[in-house]
């Protein structure tokens, strides 16, 4: 299901720069919101009914360090840091829109399946607005502690299912209609309306100039679908004259989109995708009992619910799909961290994907590239600590088991005696 507007009745702006008027009225929570200051482009509910908890105060930052790592000219790589959201991930953009719709229909309980960030965001919105109560379905042992701690602390009813995200997703879709739970996963089209604004803020950060590439990790494929929809609408409205190319990056251990798009050539095909090939692939996953497995637990998903919408986005944006190893994800994540904007492993996939595409010559050295950092570094401290550890046993347990065998950019802690001279000696030696 899609949200479709009658643009003749809605009143879209005549130029993107019109949105700059909101910059002067930050005391208005809806102008402050990085979602609702673009209300004219997601006018599915009256402005005065919009729900906000201060989402979308995020940053587009030029990163020459990451540009060098990826193989791009200085000044051409930008990081869109969605970790700055109230709950620490991009999900808050979509949740603000979903809550606005939920309120308009009087929903009292909301549910999601989650690899962690959707549940953290849902729980935060419930705790902060008191509009609904949260029920979150998570795969047992499949969620990073930073995210689980948020769901618990914010008071969500947290149901740990003996299974993974794909199991939890299936169950929540069965149970939500039976119990009248408002579903906030990205199958909910209003979620995608909120997430369109990530692209509006990217354009805003580039003074309304369209970059050459948007690179985004792919899990349930809500973001990539929303980005495509945003650019399709902007083009239709004449607010941009070209669309960027889209690169969706899977983890190699959770690579359904890559497999279908790049290896089996499934295309949106103007609305007639080859669904038989997709169904056959899903049957194959079942028959071989293949489960998604990656250190980037946020995108440990084999059955993305927005597959077809993402194919549509790939068609509109002349997109490509790549898969990257856990090794490359963690190395890229460390490079992002070294530049001062920490991200969680899934977000590192976007930088690892950009590097791969650059090596393959798909992205040119002078292309302007925006990588989306979807979630904050503190979401998954275990992965970060294991990468930088001196404890070989910990490294092997957390990372070695996933095929990661080196930490090229590790910053190891230095152990010293509790002694002034020893401490000074260590600092002189290592700094
Ligand atoms: N990055 C992070 C940090 C995520 O949490 C997710 C999805 C993605 C990327 C993938 O985005 O689904 O739009 O392709 N996390 C979901 C969750 C599945 O439950 O928190 P997508």
């Amino acid at each position: 299901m899609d949200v479709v507007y009658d643009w003749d009745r809605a009143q879209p702006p005549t130029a993107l720069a019109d949105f700059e008027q909101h910059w002067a009225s930050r005391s208005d929570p809806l102008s402050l919101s990085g979602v609702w200051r673009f209300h004219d482009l997601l006018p599915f509910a009256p402005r005065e009914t919009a729900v906000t908890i201060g989402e979308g105060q995020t940053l587009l930052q030029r990163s020459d360090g990451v540009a060098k790592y990826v193989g791009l000219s200085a000044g051409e790589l930008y990081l869109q840091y969605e970790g700055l959201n109230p709950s620490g991930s991009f999900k808050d953009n979509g949740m603000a829109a979903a809550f606005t719709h939920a309120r308009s229909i009087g929903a009292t309980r909301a549910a999601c399946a989650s690899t962690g960030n959707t549940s953290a965001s849902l729980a935060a919105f419930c705790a902060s607005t008191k509009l609904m109560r949260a029920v979150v379905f998570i795969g047992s042992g499949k969620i990073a502690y930073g995210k689980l701690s948020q769901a618990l602390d914010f008071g969500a009813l947290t149901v740990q299912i003996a299974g993974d995200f794909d199991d939890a997703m299936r169950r929540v879709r069965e149970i939500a209609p039976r119990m009248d739970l408002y579903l906030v996963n990205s199958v909910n089209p209003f979620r995608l309306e909120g997430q369109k604004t990530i692209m509006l803020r990217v354009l805003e950060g580039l003074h309304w100039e369209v970059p050459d590439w948007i690179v985004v990790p792919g899990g349930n494929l809500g973001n990539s679908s929303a980005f495509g929809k945003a650019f399709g609408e902007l083009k239709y409205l004449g607010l941009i004259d070209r669309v960027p190319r889209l690169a969706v990056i899977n983890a190699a251990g959770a690579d359904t989109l890559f497999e279908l798009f790049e290896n089996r050539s499934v295309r949106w095909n103007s609305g007639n995708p080859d669904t038989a090939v997709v169904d056959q692939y899903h049957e194959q996953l079942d028959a071989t009992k293949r489960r998604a497995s990656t250190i980037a637990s946020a995108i440990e998903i084999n059955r993305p619910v927005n597959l077809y919408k993402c194919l549509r986005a790939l068609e509109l944006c002349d997109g490509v799909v790549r898969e990257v190893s856990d090794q490359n994800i963690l190395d890229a994540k460390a490079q992002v961290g070294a530049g001062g904007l920490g991200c969680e492993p899934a977000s590192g996939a976007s930088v690892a994907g950009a590097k791969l595409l650059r090596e393959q010559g798909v992205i040119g050295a002078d292309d302007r590239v925006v990588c989306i950092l979807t979630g904050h570094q503190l979401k998954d401290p275990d992965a970060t600590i294991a990468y930088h550890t001196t404890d070989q046993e910990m490294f092997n347990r957390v990372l070695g088991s996933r095929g990661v065998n080196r930490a090229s950019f590790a910053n190891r802690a230095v152990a010293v005696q509790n002694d002034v001279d020893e401490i000074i000696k260590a600092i002189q030696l290592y700094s």
Side-chain angles (χ1 to χ4, degrees):
M1 201 189 291
D2 253 335
V3 178
V4 179
Y5 301 103
D6 177 352
W7 291 114
D8 291 333
R9 284 179 54 213
Q11 289 174 328
T14 49
L16 284 172
D18 291 356
F19 286 117
E20 291 172 16
Q21 288 160 13
H22 294 292
W23 295 351
S25 47
R26 290 175 68 84
S27 56
D28 168 9
L30 298 188
S31 287
L32 185 72
S33 164
V35 170
W36 297 118
R37 71 170 173 266
F38 299 106
H39 175 261
D40 291 350
L41 292 175
L42 50 151
F44 63 83
R47 192 174 187 275
E48 56 282 6
T49 66
V51 176
T52 179
I53 66 165
E55 61 289 327
Q57 312 288 326
T58 65
L59 188 72
L60 183 80
Q61 181 165 301
R62 172 178 155 168
S63 175
D64 287 353
V66 176
K68 190 162 175 231
Y69 177 67
V70 166
L72 285 164
S73 308
E76 299 302 352
L77 188 126
Y78 289 79
L79 300 171
Q80 175 66 17
Y81 190 37
E82 290 299 309
L84 279 181
N85 272 289
S87 82
S89 86
F90 74 87
K91 303 283 179 182
D92 294 344
N93 297 287
M95 209 55 71
F99 264 62
T100 299
H101 175 252
R103 175 152 82 176
S104 77
I105 61 167
T108 56
R109 279 193 298 186
C112 68
S114 185
T115 55
N117 281 327
T118 307
S119 55
S121 179
L122 169 60
F125 269 80
C126 282
S128 139
T129 67
K130 308 289 182 226
L131 285 169
M132 294 192 281
R133 276 177 301 131
V135 184
V136 307
F137 291 47
I138 59 174
S140 190
K142 291 287 182 185
I143 148 172
Y145 265 19
K147 307 173 189 185
L148 180 60
S149 65
Q150 289 178 289
L152 296 175
D153 216 26
F154 295 145
L157 170 61
T158 304
V159 184
Q160 292 185 306
I161 294 171
D164 63 10
F165 174 82
D166 292 316
D167 297 315
M169 189 71 231
R170 199 176 114 219
R171 294 302 178 203
V172 79
R173 291 179 87 172
E174 282 167 10
I175 292 166
R178 280 176 56 178
M179 297 190 69
D180 223 6
L181 305 176
Y182 183 87
L183 191 57
V184 299
N185 281 105
S186 52
V187 277
N188 178 330
F190 296 98
R191 270 274 311 274
L192 303 192
E193 291 308 292
Q195 286 167 218
K196 289 191 315 193
T197 63
I198 300 170
M199 289 302 102
L200 299 170
R201 296 198 297 275
V202 164
L203 295 177
E204 189 177 51
L206 294 174
H207 308 288
W208 311 113
E209 272 181 31
V210 179
D212 297 308
W213 286 93
I214 300 290
V215 190
V216 63
N220 232 358
L221 306 180
N223 263 340
S224 42
S225 301
F227 297 174
K229 187 170 190 285
F231 288 118
E233 290 171 352
L234 291 175
K235 186 90 195 324
Y236 172 80
L237 292 170
L239 294 169
I240 53 175
D241 52 13
R242 67 180 180 101
V243 296
R245 294 190 70 186
L246 181 65
V248 185
I249 313 299
N250 276 164
D255 64 347
T256 294
L257 181 69
F258 175 74
E259 178 62 29
L260 291 174
F261 187 82
E262 296 290 344
N263 291 342
R264 305 192 185 198
S265 301
V266 177
R267 293 289 182 275
W268 174 242
N269 195 17
S270 309
N272 295 298
D274 194 343
T275 54
V277 177
V278 175
D279 294 344
Q280 197 186 20
Y281 183 69
H282 283 156
E283 280 162 25
Q284 213 177 309
L285 287 177
D286 287 340
T288 55
K289 294 198 168 49
R290 197 167 135 211
R291 293 287 174 175
S293 175
T294 166
I295 190 77
S297 58
I299 52 174
E300 194 172 52
I301 297 172
N302 263 351
R303 290 173 178 269
V305 298
N306 288 298
L307 176 68
Y308 290 108
K309 285 185 182 174
C310 177
L311 291 175
R312 181 175 64 181
L314 287 165
E315 180 170 286
L316 181 94
C317 297
D318 188 15
V320 298
V321 182
R322 291 293 182 271
E323 60 172 357
V324 290
S325 66
D326 283 4
Q327 176 76 61
N328 292 345
I329 285 174
L330 289 183
D331 286 340
K333 175 186 160 324
Q335 288 287 309
V336 171
L341 299 184
C343 69
E344 64 168 285
S347 314
S350 62
V351 171
K355 181 169 161 56
L356 177 64
L357 287 162
R358 179 68 203 96
E359 281 160 10
Q360 293 173 340
V362 179
I363 292 180
D366 295 322
D367 286 356
R368 174 153 295 177
V369 178
V370 177
C371 292
I372 312 301
L373 300 182
T374 46
H376 199 281
Q377 177 188 42
L378 298 178
K379 292 282 193 173
D380 188 358
D382 289 356
T384 309
I385 295 289
Y387 186 85
H388 294 289
T389 190
T390 50
D391 176 349
Q392 195 61 38
E393 193 276 321
M394 180 200 272
F395 184 90
N396 291 343
R397 180 168 39 82
V398 182
L399 303 181
S401 59
R402 298 192 175 275
V404 178
N405 51 38
R406 58 177 194 282
S408 309
F409 309 110
N411 173 29
R412 302 208 163 83
V414 178
V416 286
Q417 298 295 326
N418 182 11
D419 175 273
V420 170
D421 291 337
E422 289 294 321
I423 295 170
I424 289 173
K425 217 193 298 173
I427 295 171
Q428 280 169 336
L429 190 61
Y430 293 109
S431 67

